[in-house]
Amino acid sequence: MKFITNETSLRTFLPNAFTSVEGETSLFDKLQPFLIIAEHWLQQQVLGEATLASIAQEDSDANILCCQIVVSEGFSRAIPSLDLVLTPNGFGIVSNSNVAPASKERVERLIAQLQDNRDTYLQSLLAILPSREEWLGTAQQLFFAGTLFPNTDIVDQVGRRTKTPKWSQYVALRYELIDIEHSLAEEYFSEELMSDLRQKAHVNNLSDAYAHILPIIRAQELAVLNKLPIQHRQMTDVVNFIRKHPDEFPLWHASETAKIYDAPVFENKKKDTAYWL
């Protein structure tokens, strides 16, 4: 483990726990297997090996956020088994005369709160990761740059919040967004332009022309996620803007999609007297 390595660092991010008494297994030892899993999750899903190793050596906001994510995720995974002991007669609940076991409902609320904390810290971490050179181009960065919504705040924008953790909702929404963006690219904006727009939006490297069309496309995606139809006229207006600025959108003008809009337009003329069909 690189973030939470001892009892002291654990209790920095988990202060509301009783101190272990002499002869009792420390809280760190109890949670260590779960903290290992949590750190591995953070590496595989978000950071990648190189970025995790780099942040772990820093005294930075990113390091603090990673520690908070690991503790929240690890503790939420550990809670169901912390108060259980295996006896010759089966499982029992740890209890004494001074501390009563928490109810099932309170335990479930605590787990949900820890998952919510994890996702709040994760949202903040995802906002600063694009500024790190070693993260750019990794499989994890490309995962988040796979749509025009690279952060979990899309869950709040859609307004579908349920009891499911925000991270799980984000992953599900991401698949919907991929499908929506593919349709928009095929009919209006081209895969080439959409791919470039995603990457530049993620690292906040937008030209004025890109910055003009991005919020319009994002708003259309949010509308579709909320079961509203695609606004063809509005999307066509964006295409017309792109057509009028070939120097700003060379990828679109060189695409197969552009050919759809280059077809000759049939026009009636008053002097014409008949038409052959």
Side-chain angles (χ1 to χ4, degrees):
M1 291 192 301
K2 292 182 171 61
F3 288 112
I4 306 299
T5 57
N6 52 53
E7 183 91 1
T8 301
S9 61
L10 172 62
R11 289 184 178 276
T12 299
F13 299 98
L14 191 65
N16 295 329
F18 287 121
T19 303
S20 302
V21 299
E22 185 177 354
E24 181 185 13
T25 303
S26 70
L27 182 60
F28 175 75
D29 288 338
K30 291 178 182 177
L31 293 185
Q32 187 174 20
F34 303 97
L35 295 172
I36 291 173
I37 293 172
E39 187 173 293
H40 181 72
W41 176 87
L42 181 62
Q43 176 180 307
Q44 292 297 109
Q45 299 295 327
V46 182
L47 295 179
E49 185 176 358
T51 307
L52 184 144
S54 177
I55 293 176
Q57 297 175 7
E58 300 173 357
D59 180 12
S60 64
D61 290 343
N63 182 286
I64 293 173
L65 288 168
C66 287
C67 289
Q68 290 171 319
I69 290 169
V70 169
V71 171
S72 297
E73 173 69 7
F75 193 31
S76 70
R77 289 174 178 266
I79 283 174
S81 61
L82 282 179
D83 63 346
L84 296 177
V85 292
L86 182 59
T87 72
N89 297 320
F91 284 102
I93 298 176
V94 178
S95 180
N96 56 49
S97 58
N98 298 318
V99 181
S103 67
K104 176 183 177 182
E105 291 74 18
R106 287 189 177 185
V107 172
E108 289 176 346
R109 285 200 299 270
L110 175 58
I111 293 174
Q113 183 61 59
L114 286 167
Q115 292 173 335
D116 189 57
N117 290 346
R118 175 204 65 193
D119 293 339
T120 299
Y121 302 138
L122 178 59
Q123 184 170 315
S124 297
L125 180 63
L126 288 171
I128 63 178
L129 282 176
S131 65
R132 303 186 67 96
E133 289 291 334
E134 78 276 8
W135 190 63
L136 301 180
T138 63
Q140 289 75 21
Q141 187 263 328
L142 294 176
F143 172 86
F144 292 103
T147 76
L148 292 176
F149 294 88
N151 205 327
T152 56
D153 57 358
I154 176 64
V155 175
D156 298 317
Q157 294 178 54
V158 173
R160 289 192 200 169
R161 287 306 304 271
T162 66
K163 292 184 179 180
T164 305
K166 182 184 282 189
W167 168 253
S168 299
Q169 292 185 68
Y170 172 75
V171 172
L173 282 174
R174 181 178 177 274
Y175 288 112
E176 292 186 58
L177 288 167
I178 289 173
D179 186 57
I180 294 168
E181 290 182 10
H182 176 72
S183 296
L184 292 176
E186 188 175 55
E187 189 168 353
Y188 303 104
F189 308 122
S190 82
E191 290 290 354
E192 294 86 350
L193 174 58
M194 288 290 283
S195 178
D196 194 48
L197 184 60
R198 291 184 199 108
Q199 187 64 27
K200 289 181 177 176
H202 193 198
V203 299
N204 196 27
N205 183 27
L206 294 168
S207 65
D208 290 342
Y210 271 36
H212 175 77
I213 68 172
L214 177 62
I216 302 173
I217 298 174
R218 279 178 169 167
Q220 178 63 84
E221 291 185 52
L222 287 172
V224 175
L225 284 173
N226 285 315
K227 311 306 180 184
L228 297 174
I230 292 176
Q231 297 297 310
H232 177 72
R233 182 173 181 177
Q234 189 176 50
M235 294 300 96
T236 302
D237 287 344
V238 177
V239 170
N240 287 333
F241 176 82
I242 293 170
R243 294 178 71 190
K244 293 177 182 178
H245 298 83
D247 293 340
E248 296 290 342
F249 300 98
L251 291 174
W252 185 88
H253 284 270
S255 72
E256 290 297 314
T257 305
K259 296 178 182 178
I260 299 173
Y261 297 90
D262 285 340
V265 178
F266 181 81
E267 182 179 357
N268 287 328
K269 297 179 181 179
K270 290 183 178 180
K271 66 179 181 179
D272 294 331
T273 56
Y275 302 96
W276 292 98
L277 300 178

